[in-house]
Amino acid sequence: MGQKINPLGFRLGTTQSHHSLWFAQPKKYSEGLQEDKKIRDCIKNYVQKNMRLSSGVEGIARIEIQKRLDLIQVIIYMGFPKLLIEDKPRKLEELQMNVQKELNCMNRKLNIAITRIGNPYGHPNILAEFIAGQLKNRVSFRKAMKKAIELTEQADTKGIQIQIAGRIDGKEIARVEWIREGRVPLQTIGAKIEYCSYRVRTIYGVLGIKIWIFIDEE
């Protein structure tokens, strides 16, 4: 059997960097980890409630967290930040208040910044959200995967692999379907590969979407 490893963890220190940067004593490490999860969940929930785009894509590529003794710096990388930017100061203040309330941290300052990314469909999280929206609207999974591949080709990537698992199209027996376009060298540590796994709830049950995007080779 082939041993599967998360492509991001496999490349840490070479082509991949950490999404959370902070230091903690071993006893406090789990608290810091839970704090990170709360921050990410709170931001995603807020964006879901307030900034639903017509395509059903939230557009968050990744959330980076940097912590110091007196400051928590959160950077949100978004593909479509238009809806956040329209009345940016008010929306950001509201988001900061929500996160601070969730964390209950009075002795630390929280700073949230939004960065726009180019080629949003070159990021697997945004692409997975797009596919999830299509599957929820009962679009055929093959059609959704082919459309996603067309979108990544515009984003100038070298290869993509998409895998969908579960009760696809409402069939009784769960199965795995996948499609690949171009090269996806998962064994090469020097290859810059973006990866995400995403769960989508449909009326038939939960489907799992995995996406590997090969961007460049060092």
Side-chain angles (χ1 to χ4, degrees):
M1 286 290 290
Q3 306 302 310
K4 306 291 181 293
I5 186 169
N6 188 308
L8 306 181
F10 186 48
R11 288 169 176 79
L12 270 179
T14 51
T15 58
Q16 190 68 33
S17 57
H18 292 272
H19 290 175
S20 289
L21 291 170
W22 45 269
F23 174 79
Q25 296 294 340
K27 284 181 182 174
K28 297 274 180 80
Y29 179 77
S30 61
E31 284 174 27
L33 211 57
Q34 284 166 347
E35 212 175 53
D36 279 14
K37 189 171 183 345
K38 274 184 192 171
I39 292 170
R40 289 195 169 99
D41 288 349
C42 190
I43 290 169
K44 280 175 183 168
N45 291 340
Y46 180 83
V47 171
Q48 247 172 3
K49 280 177 194 165
N50 295 285
M51 280 138 247
R52 229 4 167 172
L53 293 184
S54 55
S55 62
V57 178
E58 293 153 30
I60 297 177
R62 68 181 185 278
I63 298 167
E64 286 190 0
I65 299 168
Q66 298 168 12
K67 289 184 200 167
R68 295 183 208 146
L69 283 173
D70 56 347
L71 175 73
I72 300 174
Q73 171 78 33
V74 181
I75 304 166
I76 307 170
Y77 290 88
M78 291 190 84
F80 315 104
K82 277 181 195 166
L83 290 165
L84 260 179
I85 285 167
E86 272 167 18
D87 44 358
K88 192 177 177 181
R90 194 176 62 79
K91 284 265 164 65
L92 267 181
E93 274 171 34
E94 198 183 320
L95 179 57
Q96 276 186 347
M97 292 279 285
N98 284 6
V99 175
Q100 261 175 335
K101 210 183 284 179
E102 185 75 30
L103 289 180
N104 199 9
C105 61
M106 294 298 128
N107 55 347
R108 281 191 291 181
K109 191 174 175 250
L110 179 73
N111 187 13
I112 296 178
I114 293 168
T115 306
R116 190 196 172 100
I117 51 167
N119 296 333
Y121 288 113
H123 290 263
N125 282 313
I126 296 173
L127 210 60
E129 280 170 17
F130 169 78
I131 293 171
Q134 297 281 305
L135 293 174
K136 276 182 182 171
N137 295 336
R138 310 241 191 132
V139 175
S140 152
F141 76 95
R142 279 214 172 81
K143 209 173 186 179
M145 291 203 289
K146 279 175 182 166
K147 179 73 180 138
I149 285 173
E150 278 174 33
L151 289 169
T152 47
E153 280 170 359
Q154 293 165 19
D156 193 32
T157 54
K158 293 193 173 179
I160 177 171
Q161 182 174 323
I162 301 170
Q163 180 179 299
I164 300 176
R167 286 185 61 187
I168 301 167
D169 291 343
K171 295 285 195 307
E172 288 283 313
I173 296 171
R175 67 188 199 276
V176 179
E177 293 282 350
W178 62 276
I179 187 169
R180 187 195 294 140
E181 189 75 35
R183 281 177 64 224
V184 186
L186 295 178
Q187 301 286 309
T188 312
I189 296 177
K192 185 163 174 43
I193 285 178
E194 293 281 351
Y195 163 81
C196 93
S197 61
Y198 191 90
R199 290 167 71 181
V200 51
R201 290 184 180 277
T202 64
I203 55 169
Y204 308 112
V206 177
L207 294 180
I209 302 169
K210 286 184 179 178
I211 298 179
W212 294 261
I213 295 177
F214 175 37
I215 293 166
D216 206 0
E217 200 160 357
E218 285 189 359

